[in-house]
Amino acid sequence: MKEFGEFERQAVMIHEQLAAGEIYYEARDQLAKLADKLKGHRRTPRETPTVNPVFIVEMHLMMTDGAPQASSVSDDFLADLLVAIQTADGHLRHQVVSWMNWAIDHHRLTNDQLQWLVVQLSQSKYLYDHLLERNSPGVYARSLTLVLLRFVLYAARQQERQIEVATLKRLSNRLVVAMLGEKDLRGFVEGAGWVQTFAAYAGLCNEICADERLNRGDKLFLVAAYLVAYRRLRAPLTMGEPDEGAAFIAQAVKTHPLYARYFIEDLKAWRQEMDKQDPNKPATWHRVFNYRHLLQLLLLDGALPAQVVQAIMEQENRG
């Protein structure tokens, strides 16, 4: 993943400038320039590691009613879990998500294990796995990584076992690079199950931003990057992804006027950008309907700040 090193350094620079209050609206253009550099390329071969069959048996046994309530999760099991998330088997992918949900509900993961999982799942080999390729099997590991990270961060926050701030910031930097470079927009894939990368990105961003230890610049970094990534999509999001995006943006603009002001200005620039695009290209219309879908979902939130509602209505009334 050395090819992403320079992209990460640029993301870190933008992040640090936002956190220090050195830039604000300028973040949009800087992130867009970074996204321009994350060019797609042809799909390359990918070997899927073999999942330990003992892991699958243990996973089933743990979730049965007869499993000892005090049983702990071994570190070896978690290591096998990191192999299993790379599978293209839709049934197994679903089981992994179910197990993580079960483990969190039953408080089976120790503080050290939660910390370890965040560090491991934040690695570039998971978040950047064949990132710049369309329809690559690498997306299965990538999307599951995003989902599991959200679960683990939620568990740590609810159980007051907070993940180190430095770890969250490193994750944010890689998350932004991944969002800006994402090329796979499939929703449900026969045999492999749900992908929905842009639902997973929004959900994880929302969970990170729920951490009160991060400053507003840290959170604005994720808001700005998500908006840049979303508006550049060249394919339609048709399987619920904008719902998560709207939930993330709505939560942000309701949290503090800083995010509301940024979103309003970004909305104006977004509309001006779309007005200049070629109406004869399908990608233009995909972007238009992704844009309208997001705004319509935002308007469903009755607690949205009045100035944000007004800004959306002004754009909608322009036709």
Side-chain angles (χ1 to χ4, degrees):
M1 301 298 174
K2 293 180 180 179
E3 63 181 303
F4 291 96
E6 179 56 33
F7 301 138
E8 264 191 44
R9 284 189 285 273
Q10 292 178 45
V12 169
M13 182 180 66
I14 299 168
H15 187 173
E16 290 177 344
Q17 288 178 310
L18 271 170
E22 297 171 0
I23 59 173
Y24 185 41
Y25 297 127
E26 300 88 343
R28 178 179 59 243
D29 292 337
Q30 292 189 27
L31 288 164
K33 289 178 182 177
L34 174 56
D36 286 338
K37 298 174 184 176
L38 290 160
K39 299 184 183 298
H41 57 71
R42 290 184 178 180
R43 190 166 54 183
T44 55
R46 180 184 185 278
E47 291 186 11
T48 302
T50 302
V51 178
N52 183 353
V54 175
F55 162 81
I56 299 175
V57 173
E58 287 182 347
M59 182 170 58
H60 289 162
L61 287 175
M62 270 191 264
M63 290 190 288
T64 61
D65 293 336
Q69 290 301 305
S71 62
S72 60
V73 177
S74 71
D75 293 343
D76 287 342
F77 179 88
L78 293 182
D80 286 336
L81 176 74
L82 296 183
V83 175
I85 66 173
Q86 301 174 63
T87 183
D89 182 326
H91 181 61
L92 179 54
R93 295 179 77 238
H94 177 73
Q95 288 178 312
V96 166
V97 173
S98 297
W99 178 86
M100 181 60 77
N101 195 32
W102 171 88
I104 288 169
D105 283 347
H106 291 79
H107 305 284
R108 294 300 178 88
L109 297 170
T110 67
N111 182 45
D112 287 344
Q113 288 176 328
L114 291 172
Q115 299 279 347
W116 183 84
L117 277 169
V118 174
V119 171
Q120 295 301 313
L121 290 168
S122 298
Q123 291 184 79
S124 57
K125 68 178 181 179
Y126 299 117
L127 290 174
Y128 300 156
D129 190 10
H130 291 244
L131 175 68
L132 302 180
E133 303 172 16
R134 287 192 180 138
N135 298 349
S136 166
V139 77
Y140 305 134
R142 201 159 63 248
S143 63
L144 263 191
T145 294
L146 297 167
V147 170
L148 296 191
L149 275 168
R150 182 183 185 180
F151 281 176
V152 173
L153 292 183
Y154 172 81
R157 183 165 59 87
Q158 292 297 312
Q159 298 172 28
E160 298 182 352
R161 303 171 175 179
Q162 292 173 312
I163 305 301
E164 293 182 3
V165 170
T167 300
L168 289 178
K169 290 188 176 183
R170 283 194 297 271
L171 170 58
S172 295
N173 294 329
R174 286 183 175 159
L175 180 58
V176 162
V177 172
M179 277 195 293
L180 295 176
E182 185 60 66
K183 309 301 178 191
D184 200 321
L185 304 182
R186 289 177 291 174
F188 186 85
V189 179
E190 186 174 355
W194 289 102
V195 176
Q196 294 177 298
T197 51
F198 266 81
Y201 284 127
L204 181 53
C205 284
N206 210 1
E207 183 54 46
I208 293 173
C209 288
D211 195 310
E212 296 179 353
R213 295 170 300 160
L214 297 178
N215 71 28
R216 291 173 190 141
D218 292 323
K219 298 175 184 181
L220 184 59
F221 179 54
L222 294 174
V223 171
Y226 179 81
L227 289 169
V228 167
Y230 186 96
R231 78 169 187 249
R232 294 168 67 89
L233 299 178
R234 300 174 61 86
L237 297 178
T238 60
M239 293 194 177
E241 299 90 343
D243 297 68
E244 287 282 0
F248 169 44
I249 299 303
Q251 182 58 39
V253 300
K254 289 186 291 187
T255 301
H256 193 275
L258 176 90
Y259 311 118
R261 289 196 300 270
Y262 182 90
F263 177 70
I264 290 169
E265 289 302 313
D266 188 81
L267 196 57
K268 294 175 184 176
W270 192 352
R271 181 55 188 257
Q272 290 171 358
E273 184 180 294
M274 285 198 305
D275 288 344
K276 296 176 183 177
Q277 293 184 28
D278 186 348
N280 294 311
K281 292 184 177 180
T284 296
W285 292 106
H286 293 327
R287 288 173 171 170
V288 167
F289 283 100
N290 284 341
Y291 162 88
R292 294 194 66 187
H293 195 177
L294 183 69
L295 297 192
Q296 289 164 358
L297 286 166
L298 282 168
L299 289 175
L300 294 177
D301 189 325
L304 214 60
Q307 66 269 32
V308 173
V309 173
Q310 182 180 352
I312 293 174
M313 293 305 299
E314 287 175 357
Q315 298 304 319
E316 288 286 276
N317 291 335
R318 287 180 58 185

